[in-house]
Amino acid sequence: MQHKDDLIRQAFDAEHFRRNGHELIDLLANFLHSATSGELPHALPWQEPQDQYRYWEEGLEKGGDTTPQALFAEVLESSIRIHHPRYMGHQVSPSAPLAALAGLADGFLNNGMGVYEMGAAGTAIERVVVKAVAKKMGFGQEADGVMTSGGSLANLTALLAARSARSPSPAWQEGQKERLAVLVSEEAHYCVDRAVRIMGWGEGGIIKVPADETYRMRTELLPEYLERARRDGRHVIAVVGSACTTSTGSFDRLDVIADFCRGHGLWFHVDGAHGGALAFSPPHRHLLAGIERADSVVMDFHKMLLTPVVATALIFRDGSQAFRTFSQRAQYLWNQESDEEWFNLAKRTFECTKLMMGLKAYTLLRIYGPELWEQYLGRVMEHGRRFAALVRETEGFELAAEPQCNIVCFRYKADGMPEEAANVLNGAIRRAIVEEGRFYIVKTDLRGRVFLRVTLSNPFTAPGDMQALLARIQDIRKTL
Ligand SMILES: Cc1ncc(COP(=O)(O)O)c(C=O)c1O
């Protein structure tokens, strides 16, 4: 911007917007091409955090000597490339370009969404999306829910509903009286632990059931753990099943947990932030057997369904349960605390103002149909199988467990190498890979052993990329 006078007019000038928008889309389209084709050498242009900070701070200090296009190009230059076939790190899928455009429309419209008037289309779209997911999960017409900013918040919201439904006294109105607890796999995502502590149940409120050698909850231990919790004076209200776990992508036996919950009057919650998406993939639906009997389910769109972060569905088998969580009077928003108005979303979420969260998923569903997700899920699930086969075939490598989805944990460990040395080596390998930036992978600690970890969520990752990763690791470990 050259002239400092009348900046408001400039900032809202429709022709500036048109020109900047066209330039931005050109920039992103070129980036998309070079990222997905692997022309870009780096999946991660690594810089130390302090250098990164100084760079952007200096940019601001220099002032307005740049153009929007140059600024956006700088951002691309310094950001991790989720669309790159050698991005194999955390569980974020590359955003489908059309879903990203929906995000742009959302940002521009800036509808607040808390009450119906502040997001009429967005509110209805969100419900259509939630209902579509509910149907795929195997729920009936009475299922309903909301969308939230991420799986962590959705899991907390689900557990608040569980407390409201199963706690002997009304904690929302009177404060927490009983010593409540949930049973959960030791491999569950840390946000479940955090949710329990936020609710004030303390460390003893989260009872971790051991996992087996494939990192699935040992469901045969549930009766013993429930009994022990009761003896310790804990009132267990729910069991949380993971579909799947974060570290190893392992699916708990949801059907067994459903039986257990029914037998003991417990709330059954499924954290399907990652793997819940497989409800859209008929060949893999069996991994979720029993999910249709859950009281509540969480599923992220941004992990396995190609939408930009963040968009999460929280679904209740009995939709009316959602209204019990936050019963509260906000005079300026609505008059009746008790009315179950599906169209005033803030009645059921922690958030007041939020994104038009369903729009990105709805756009993909409406334009491509669920077949896009089905094809994508088929592709990335096959990636997991193929990468595991390569690990098995390549000397010096081993799997942590047979992968159940597109998350694979593996490590380099030569014959006879002591565990401690293998831990140090794999930690150093991961650090070298990140700093080099040609691949992006992460690591995890499994029962004291360090494993490298990939989430193969890029449909353009080819077997050659997987082989190249293992070859690069071989080269790196020789230098360490
Ligand atoms: C199983 C599971 N639950 C919850 C979460 C948290 O979801 P979000 O990052 O959307 O808050 C994750 C994220 O990795 C996860 O893997």
Side-chain angles (χ1 to χ4, degrees), residues 91 150-152 155 189 191 244-246 271 273-274 300 302-303 312:
Q91 305 143 271
S152 305
N155 278 320
H189 191 263
C191 71
C244 49
T245 64
T246 307
D271 178 2
H274 185 86
D300 280 353
H302 52 271
K303 286 189 169 55
T312 301

Side-chain angles (χ1 to χ4, degrees), residues 67-376:
T67 61
Q69 197 186 13
L71 169 60
F72 292 136
E74 278 178 71
V75 175
L76 295 190
E77 197 57 40
S78 303
S79 300
I80 192 159
R81 286 90 193 246
I82 312 288
H83 295 81
H84 196 291
R86 294 184 176 189
Y87 170 90
M88 305 173 181
H90 289 291
Q91 305 143 271
V92 183
S93 61
S95 51
L98 210 50
L101 288 181
L104 174 64
D106 175 9
F108 180 85
L109 285 170
N110 220 19
N111 282 201
M113 298 288 289
V115 290
Y116 176 68
E117 299 100 86
M118 283 304 293
T123 300
I125 284 171
E126 175 171 319
R127 192 171 197 227
V128 171
V129 168
V130 162
K131 288 274 191 184
V133 176
K135 198 168 163 197
K136 287 286 180 189
M137 296 290 171
F139 293 143
Q141 284 298 327
E142 59 296 339
D144 209 340
V146 285
M147 292 182 69
T148 66
S149 296
S152 305
L153 182 57
N155 278 320
L156 170 62
T157 311
L159 291 177
L160 284 166
R163 181 178 70 170
S164 171
R166 294 289 196 275
S167 171
S169 61
W172 187 257
Q173 289 78 7
E174 296 172 11
Q176 193 73 60
K177 292 196 173 132
E178 298 80 14
R179 296 173 69 224
L180 302 185
V182 293
L183 293 169
V184 62
S185 160
E186 62 173 335
E187 289 294 324
H189 191 263
Y190 72 84
C191 71
V192 178
D193 187 303
R194 195 174 276 187
V196 162
R197 291 168 199 256
I198 288 171
M199 290 188 291
W201 307 357
E203 198 169 1
I206 179 135
I207 299 171
K208 294 185 179 162
V209 180
D212 63 17
E213 69 286 356
T214 66
Y215 302 95
R216 287 152 54 129
M217 183 199 279
R218 289 184 58 194
T219 45
E220 77 279 8
L221 296 178
L222 280 169
E224 180 189 329
Y225 273 70
L226 178 63
E227 194 41 50
R228 201 188 296 167
R230 286 179 174 163
R231 273 203 311 271
D232 292 347
R234 284 276 169 186
H235 188 99
V236 175
I237 61 158
V239 183
V240 178
S242 302
C244 49
T245 64
T246 307
S247 279
T248 56
S250 305
F251 288 76
D252 286 344
R253 292 285 309 277
L254 302 183
D255 47 357
V256 178
I257 301 176
D259 288 341
F260 180 77
C261 286
R262 185 162 297 172
H264 293 87
L266 303 175
W267 183 278
F268 175 26
H269 173 63
V270 176
D271 178 2
H274 185 86
L278 292 171
F280 287 88
S281 178
H284 305 105
R285 178 67 175 72
H286 63 96
L287 289 166
L288 302 175
I291 201 167
E292 66 285 350
R293 289 156 69 202
D295 293 289
S296 52
V297 173
V298 161
M299 188 205 77
D300 280 353
F301 288 89
H302 52 271
K303 286 189 169 55
M304 289 276 268
L305 293 176
L306 302 172
T307 75
V309 292
V310 284
T312 301
L314 164 59
I315 299 163
F316 295 91
R317 182 160 45 85
D318 168 3
S320 66
Q321 296 287 2
F323 292 94
R324 303 174 61 142
T325 319
F326 303 108
S327 108
Q328 200 164 36
R329 192 126 189 252
Q331 270 110 334
Y332 68 100
L333 290 178
W334 51 77
N335 295 324
Q336 295 296 321
E337 175 188 324
S338 57
D339 282 2
E340 292 187 0
E341 302 159 328
W342 66 264
F343 45 85
N344 284 324
L345 290 175
K347 283 196 164 182
R348 290 180 289 158
T349 61
F350 185 73
E351 291 153 290
C352 178
T353 306
K354 68 174 190 181
L355 299 174
M356 282 170 91
M357 223 165 268
L359 182 60
K360 298 156 196 168
Y362 183 84
T363 304
L364 296 181
L365 272 175
R366 179 103 176 240
I367 304 298
Y368 301 111
E371 293 81 5
L372 170 70
W373 289 338
E374 194 180 323
Q375 288 175 22
Y376 165 76

